[in-house]
């Protein structure tokens, strides 16, 4: 609940909302902003913070709370934004200001702010009070425990995060708040307790056996603890369930390569390049794999593609020359080096050195 992502804007005015541009213009002129609804004000605050203009973001925030002081949806959104941009002092201030609302997310954000500000004693006191306040509501109680555990994890108090979740799990059905298990899994991962990590992986998959996203995340976990085969199986199962975004194919490419299954890595690289043919890194990776398995024709194909993307990389001319040489195309191998010297200026002298070697080894192939 308390881990949200917001898209950063690129600074181009075309990407800004009309409400933001209107607000910003009135601020520059020193005029009164006039009326903006809660959603517009949240967008204005978020936009200023996304472009690192914190002072103006705070001005918009103060205005929003002054004009719409009891709009709970807006207060919720503002607190999420402050959490996302790690403005803990401001988040704590608003949590104190609105504690009379007796809403679980206000207490949750207060816990997060206190822990990130290093006020651990205050945070645990607040946590104890919140547990009593929401003891009669399992859903709210679960959210409080989640907020506390997430925040403890964020400030590297992994053992404490594990203990907090251990305390709540017997009181609730984990299926109703799977995020608690993920936080605990990440905490065990952080303290390198591989046995507990695998136990939790099994538990999570039993809860959601046909969820592609869960399998993909489990694949990353297995990869991190060195369980290469399990990692590949998880990624492949995620793919069979429909998770075939570029990042998922990349996971399989690198997993197969690290596991030494170069042919499968190449197969997945080809699958990836069907959708992203101009990806320089994957073309280069595929070229390297082909060189390892001595498929020089394919290696040349990927190298040529990489060169078309970045003709200034001198090592690619060495690759190209080597592939041509292995294919018996000696004159073309020499020509590739000569072309590379012209295009890259060969500041390291590597291309010239290799060119001289080939000319000496194959004097009959050098044209006069």
């Amino acid at each position: 609940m308390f881990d949200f992502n917001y898209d950063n804007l690129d600074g181009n005015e075309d990407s800004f909302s009309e409400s933001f541009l209107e607000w910003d213009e009135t601020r520059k002129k020193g005029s009164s902003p006039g009326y903006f609804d809660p959603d517009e004000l949240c967008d204005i605050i978020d936009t200023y913070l996304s472009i690192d203009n914190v002072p103006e973001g705070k001005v918009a925030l103060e205005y929003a709370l002054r004009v719409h002081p009891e709009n709970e949806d807006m207060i919720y959104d503002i607190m999420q934004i402050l959490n996302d941009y790690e403005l803990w002092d401001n988040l704590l201030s608003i949590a104190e200001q609105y504690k009379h609302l007796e809403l679980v997310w206000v207490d949750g954000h207060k816990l997060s702010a206190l822990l990130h500000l290093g006020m651990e004693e205050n945070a645990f006191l607040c946590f104890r009070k919140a547990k009593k306040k929401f003891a009669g509501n399992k859903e709210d109680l679960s959210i409080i425990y989640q907020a506390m555990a997430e925040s403890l994890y964020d400030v590297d108090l992994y053992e404490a995060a594990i203990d907090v979740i251990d305390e709540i799990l017997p009181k609730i059905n984990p299926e109703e708040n799977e995020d608690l298990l993920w936080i605990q899994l990440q905490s065990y991962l952080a303290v390198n307790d591989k046995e507990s990590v695998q136990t939790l992986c099994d538990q999570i998959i039993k809860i959601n056996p046909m969820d592609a996203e869960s399998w993909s995340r489990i694949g990353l976990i297995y990869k991190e603890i060195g369980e290469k085969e399990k990692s590949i199986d998880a990624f492949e199962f995620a793919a069979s369930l429909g998770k075939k975004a570029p990042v998922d194919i990349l996971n399989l490419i690198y997993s197969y390569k690290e596991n030494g299954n170069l042919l499968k890595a190449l197969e997945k690289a080809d699958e990836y390049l069907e959708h992203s043919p101009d990806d320089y890194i994957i073309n280069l990776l595929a070229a390297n794999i082909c060189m390892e398995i001595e498929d020089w024709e394919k290696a040349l194909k990927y190298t040529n593609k990489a060169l078309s993307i970045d003709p200034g990389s001198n090592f690619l001319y060495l690759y190209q020359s080597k592939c041509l040489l292995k294919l018996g195309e000696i004159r073309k191998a020499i020509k590739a080096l000569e072309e590379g010297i012209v295009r890259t200026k060969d500041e390291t002298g590597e291309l010239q050195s290799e060119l001289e070697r080939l000319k000496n080894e194959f004097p009959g192939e050098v044209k006069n």
Side-chain angles (χ1 to χ4, degrees):
M1 175 182 174
F2 298 95
D3 185 16
F4 283 76
N5 292 319
Y6 289 81
D7 291 332
N8 286 329
L9 298 174
D10 59 10
N12 187 328
E13 285 196 5
D14 291 339
S15 64
F16 297 154
S17 66
E18 289 184 15
S19 56
F20 172 78
L21 294 173
E22 182 182 344
W23 171 280
D24 194 56
E25 187 64 25
T26 59
R27 285 287 300 160
K28 289 174 181 176
K29 291 179 179 178
S31 308
S32 174
Y35 179 81
F36 288 83
D37 68 33
D39 288 340
E40 290 173 327
L41 288 166
C42 286
D43 173 73
I44 291 164
I45 295 165
D46 187 33
T47 302
Y48 275 126
L49 297 183
S50 75
I51 58 176
D52 296 324
N53 193 337
V54 176
E56 284 298 324
K58 290 181 179 179
V59 170
L61 186 155
E62 291 167 4
Y63 181 87
L65 295 179
R66 188 166 65 251
V67 175
H68 306 286
E70 298 300 323
N71 188 301
E72 291 182 8
D73 289 339
M74 185 192 73
I75 295 164
Y76 176 90
D77 288 341
I78 286 174
M79 295 184 82
Q80 297 285 13
I81 293 169
L82 292 174
N83 194 333
D84 186 66
Y85 289 102
E86 301 183 354
L87 296 174
W88 308 118
D89 284 316
N90 297 91
L91 184 60
L92 180 58
S93 175
I94 293 177
E96 290 288 358
Q97 183 178 343
Y98 286 97
K99 62 184 178 182
H100 66 278
L101 295 179
E102 303 256 326
L103 293 169
V104 65
W105 44 267
V106 174
D107 288 84
H109 281 301
K110 182 177 179 179
L111 287 172
S112 185
L114 287 169
L115 281 168
H116 283 91
L117 290 168
M119 302 167 69
E120 293 174 19
E121 189 174 334
N122 289 2
F124 277 99
L125 177 61
C126 177
F127 182 48
R128 285 196 292 272
K129 290 180 178 178
K131 286 193 289 184
K132 291 180 181 178
K133 184 193 300 186
F134 300 106
N137 186 318
K138 281 190 175 182
E139 183 179 351
D140 285 352
L141 188 64
S142 176
I143 289 171
I144 280 297
Y145 272 88
Q146 181 182 335
M148 186 65 173
E150 279 184 356
S151 301
L152 288 166
Y153 176 84
D154 286 344
V155 297
D156 301 336
L157 295 174
Y158 308 120
E159 296 285 1
I162 292 167
D163 291 342
V164 163
I165 296 174
D166 277 339
E167 184 179 303
I168 186 62
L169 286 179
K171 303 174 185 178
I172 64 166
N173 181 355
E175 294 183 21
E176 296 174 0
N177 192 341
E178 193 181 322
D179 287 337
L180 287 167
L181 297 180
W182 282 108
I183 298 166
Q184 192 166 49
L185 190 158
Q186 292 287 351
S187 299
Y188 277 125
L189 186 63
V191 298
N192 201 32
D193 185 342
K194 294 183 180 180
E195 185 177 345
S196 295
V197 166
Q198 295 199 57
T199 299
L200 277 166
C201 284
D202 292 340
Q203 187 176 352
I204 288 169
I205 288 304
K206 284 179 182 177
I207 292 172
N208 241 331
M210 301 305 289
D211 182 65
E213 183 62 38
S214 292
W215 279 104
S216 181
R217 292 176 69 183
I218 292 294
L220 291 171
I221 298 294
Y222 279 137
K223 185 177 180 182
E224 195 159 341
I225 64 173
E227 291 286 345
K228 295 177 182 179
E229 290 292 344
K230 287 185 176 182
S231 174
I232 289 170
D233 288 344
F235 287 138
E236 285 286 15
F237 198 68
S240 74
L241 292 171
K243 197 155 194 327
K244 296 182 179 180
V247 66
D248 301 303
I249 302 174
L250 284 174
N251 285 332
L252 279 167
I253 294 171
Y254 287 108
S255 294
Y256 277 124
K257 187 173 187 301
E258 288 170 14
N259 204 32
N261 195 335
L262 299 182
L263 290 176
K264 286 294 289 185
L266 187 60
E267 177 188 318
K268 292 298 175 181
D270 282 334
E271 184 179 339
Y272 181 88
L273 291 170
E274 285 179 14
H275 304 286
S276 304
D278 294 329
D279 189 302
Y280 174 76
I281 296 298
I282 300 304
N283 274 290
L284 186 58
L285 176 66
N288 276 291
I289 290 173
C290 288
M291 288 183 187
E292 282 192 64
I293 62 177
E294 299 187 352
D295 187 337
W296 301 107
E297 191 171 338
K298 280 190 176 181
L300 181 61
K301 180 188 77 170
Y302 295 118
T303 299
N304 287 344
K305 182 61 179 178
L307 265 172
S308 73
I309 299 166
D310 182 15
S313 293
N314 69 331
F315 73 91
L316 287 176
Y317 294 97
L318 290 171
Y319 278 24
Q320 190 180 48
S321 179
K322 181 176 181 178
C323 292
L324 289 165
L325 196 61
K326 292 290 185 178
L327 291 168
E329 299 281 0
I330 299 169
R331 288 187 179 181
K332 287 183 179 179
I334 291 172
K335 185 178 179 181
L337 294 170
E338 291 173 338
E339 183 177 333
I341 291 169
V342 172
R343 288 197 173 190
T344 70
K345 308 304 181 188
D346 191 28
E347 293 181 1
T348 64
E350 290 178 284
L351 298 180
Q352 185 63 46
S353 176
E354 178 64 7
L355 178 62
E356 293 301 323
R357 188 186 73 79
L358 292 187
K359 285 182 175 181
N360 289 332
E361 187 172 347
F362 304 102
E365 297 295 335
V366 181
K367 291 182 178 181
N368 295 324

